[in-house]
Amino acid sequence: MRRRAQPPPSPLPQRAGIDPVRLRLPPDPEGTWPDLGDYLAARYAGTRGADSVARLLAAGRVLGPGGRVLRAEDPYEPGAYLWFHRDMEPEPRVPFSISVVHRDAHLLVVDKPHFLATTPRGSHITETALARLRAELDLPGLSPAHRLDRLTAGLVMFSIRPEDRGAYQLLFQRREVHKEYEALAPYDAELARTLPRTVRSRIEKARGVIAAVEVPGGEPNAESLIECAGSRGALGRYRLTPRTGRTHQLRVHMNGLGLPILGDPVYPQVTDPAPDDYRRPLQLLARVLEFTDPVTARVHRFESGRTLQAWDDRAGWEAGSGR
């Protein structure tokens, strides 16, 4: 198998916990872009980045391999790499803290709050677990081993050294990490008698579309074990064990059973709350991570110290005093 060539190392330092943007210039057999400025203007046309990238070029803040400053009038070179830091407006502070559960020379495990993204994406750049932890713990080489939805709280693993990143990520790719989640959703006594149940389905999510969908009759690519761990009136407490890792998998499977997770702004209906609306957090928690460390061979079991508010304080959660 032919191995893909690795890009040169970035000539830009990490800034405020954020990696540089890296672009590889695509082929241009028709000679559409005579210079670099024309290509970048076409690439970002109609987006918020159009003015920003023009300013970066003018200021000498777009670099090529070895730190060479690239200008708008430089010839277009298909296959060449370039790097720059995005201009970012200040982000509203997510007013919840991250707890460190475990740290050694190789591995960091944290307890992430609701509403904080794991890694930079879209409008969430500096207000992410990765950016905060890199800055607060002085760990510039920190990398996520997996991701947790912004709306979901609980355990997230990071590799501290770049040379260990692949080993920890491979744990998840090979499904060698035992994960358990806790969720609060409606309680249906008749349905509860059918649990535990393993749900298998095909989940697909189109780029740019908020909600994932189950494809009837499709080849299954998602599997979750659903168990009822208790009930209080109309509220059920569920233990969820995903055996695959599709986007929104647990939320989709619970909704498919007629048990949408409390506070879900997407399933069964997209409500699109403001990013800084911290009321009524999604009642989903990544509770347990268990695995054998691929670097140290230690057997780890970590458990979140967080709780789901609506279980003990349904009225407070309903009133929007979320945590």
Side-chain angles (χ1 to χ4, degrees):
M1 181 181 295
R2 185 177 179 181
R3 179 173 295 180
R4 179 180 295 179
Q6 295 297 308
S10 168
L12 286 172
Q14 291 171 343
R15 188 187 71 184
I18 305 304
D19 290 324
V21 173
R22 185 190 77 209
L23 291 180
R24 189 177 190 186
L25 304 183
D28 183 24
E30 305 298 326
T32 305
W33 305 300
D35 56 42
L36 181 61
D38 285 328
Y39 167 72
L40 291 175
R43 176 184 174 91
Y44 290 99
T47 73
R48 291 187 300 173
D51 291 338
S52 176
V53 76
R55 289 195 301 269
L56 293 174
L57 278 169
R61 292 168 53 194
V62 178
L63 303 184
R68 179 170 61 96
V69 175
L70 301 177
R71 301 292 184 181
E73 61 272 18
D74 285 347
Y76 184 82
E77 300 178 10
Y81 287 92
L82 58 85
W83 291 262
F84 58 88
H85 280 122
R86 284 178 284 189
D87 281 335
M88 298 172 293
E89 296 183 1
E91 295 175 39
R93 177 78 175 174
V94 177
F96 309 106
S97 61
I98 310 172
S99 302
V100 174
V101 175
H102 171 85
R103 178 178 176 179
D104 59 32
H106 310 277
L107 176 68
L108 178 71
V109 181
V110 303
D111 213 350
K112 185 185 79 68
H114 295 285
F115 302 111
L116 186 69
T118 301
T119 57
R121 186 177 182 182
S123 61
H124 305 287
I125 306 298
T126 57
E127 280 302 293
T128 61
L130 179 62
R132 279 198 195 176
L133 292 166
R134 280 179 172 176
E136 293 171 5
L137 302 181
D138 192 24
L139 294 172
L142 195 70
S143 298
H146 64 124
R147 295 185 182 185
L148 198 61
D149 283 350
R150 185 179 72 89
L151 299 182
T152 304
L155 298 177
V156 189
M157 284 171 48
F158 296 84
S159 64
I160 290 177
R161 307 189 312 167
E163 57 265 40
D164 296 331
R165 176 178 57 191
Y168 288 112
Q169 290 178 339
L170 201 58
L171 278 178
F172 289 89
Q173 293 172 15
R174 291 178 173 173
R175 303 177 188 173
E176 294 175 352
V177 180
H178 174 75
K179 299 180 285 184
E180 292 180 14
Y181 289 69
E182 181 181 325
L184 302 182
Y187 178 72
D188 182 316
E190 184 175 343
L191 179 58
R193 285 193 286 271
T194 70
L195 303 179
R197 180 192 302 187
T198 296
V199 179
R200 298 181 183 89
S201 69
R202 182 166 194 84
I203 295 178
E204 294 184 358
K205 187 176 184 301
R207 188 171 184 175
V209 178
I210 294 176
V213 297
E214 290 185 281
V215 180
E219 180 69 23
N221 61 2
E223 181 177 327
S224 308
L225 175 63
I226 312 294
E227 302 172 89
C228 184
S231 63
R232 288 180 176 172
L235 185 63
R237 190 176 194 170
Y238 298 88
R239 180 167 53 250
L240 314 178
T241 306
R243 291 170 177 159
T244 54
R246 309 300 299 184
T247 298
H248 295 181
Q249 174 178 317
L250 296 175
R251 296 161 65 182
V252 169
H253 279 167
M254 287 291 284
N255 184 61
L257 291 177
L259 302 172
I261 297 174
L262 214 62
D264 197 325
V266 177
Y267 308 97
Q269 182 177 357
V270 176
T271 57
D272 199 22
D276 59 352
D277 183 352
Y278 304 124
R279 300 171 298 168
R280 295 182 288 279
L282 176 70
Q283 297 297 277
L284 179 62
L285 175 66
R287 171 66 72 191
V288 172
L289 289 175
E290 188 172 3
F291 58 95
T292 299
D293 193 304
V295 179
T296 66
R298 291 179 59 189
V299 177
H300 291 298
R301 178 182 170 88
F302 301 114
E303 188 162 348
S304 171
R306 298 184 183 275
T307 59
L308 294 175
Q309 181 188 7
W311 185 246
D312 294 312
D313 182 20
R314 178 68 181 266
W317 181 87
E318 293 281 2
S321 58
R323 63 172 190 265

